[in-house]
Amino acid sequence: GLVSYRTRVHLESQREALADASLALERLRLNTDTIVQNLGSGVVSIDQDATIVHFNQVAEETLGIRGEEARGRSVSQAFPAGAAAMVDLMRRGLDSGEPVSRCEVELSLEGGKVVPLGLGTTVLTGAEGEATGVVVLFHDLTEVRRQERLAHSRERLAALGELAAGIAHEIRNSVLPISGSVQILAQELKLDPEQTKLFQI
């Protein structure tokens, strides 16, 4: 009876510890999901079968796909045809086990919209070093490209302004001696009214 009682008490404490661990694990999963969902960059993860596991809000907005429709589907089926370069990078990570630290790709989405992305991949590995999944983290570079174009345009305008100022300076340098010479000639020569008018002009 004593052994039975101790076994029951031990099992009960193990059951409570397991319930506490399950609760902590669920909280951790919810916190992780919340962090991934609210990142400022797009996050998509796939498992070893190239099935989408995570698909955050920024990924939805950038790719025009709803997360609940994408999760559980093959990345090739869920992504639009214009995102083939991104899909290839994820599949290459699964096949080779090599991450991509930084690259840029362009997505061609519906309506002729072209979205430049800066992205990187991380390969998830199992206990024996085999690829068990890939996480891609990406950022829409549309605004960055727009700012680059504006900066380039400003640089060209600044260079044009410098050129115009240089030309104006050269013209002034040439005109001042001519103007001074004409004034001296107008004072020293006896001119009729028509010649005086021409000298003034």
Side-chain angles (χ1 to χ4, degrees), residues 14-62:
Q14 291 295 325
R15 200 173 289 129
E16 287 174 10
L18 183 60
D20 289 345
S22 294
L23 185 61
L25 186 60
E26 182 62 18
R27 277 194 203 124
L28 183 61
R29 186 188 67 76
L30 289 173
N31 286 343
T32 303
D33 285 348
T34 302
I35 290 167
V36 169
Q37 276 302 319
N38 293 301
L39 280 176
S41 297
V43 177
V44 177
S45 69
I46 58 173
D47 62 16
Q48 65 268 22
D49 300 319
T51 301
I52 297 173
V53 179
H54 290 100
F55 200 89
N56 78 345
Q57 186 174 348
V58 174
E60 290 181 9
E61 293 165 3
T62 304

Side-chain angles (χ1 to χ4, degrees), residues 180-192 195-196 199:
S181 299
V182 167
Q183 287 176 356
I184 290 170
L185 285 173
Q187 291 169 1
E188 293 181 358
L189 296 175
K190 298 233 186 233
L191 303 171
D192 61 41
Q195 291 172 329
T196 303
F199 264 82

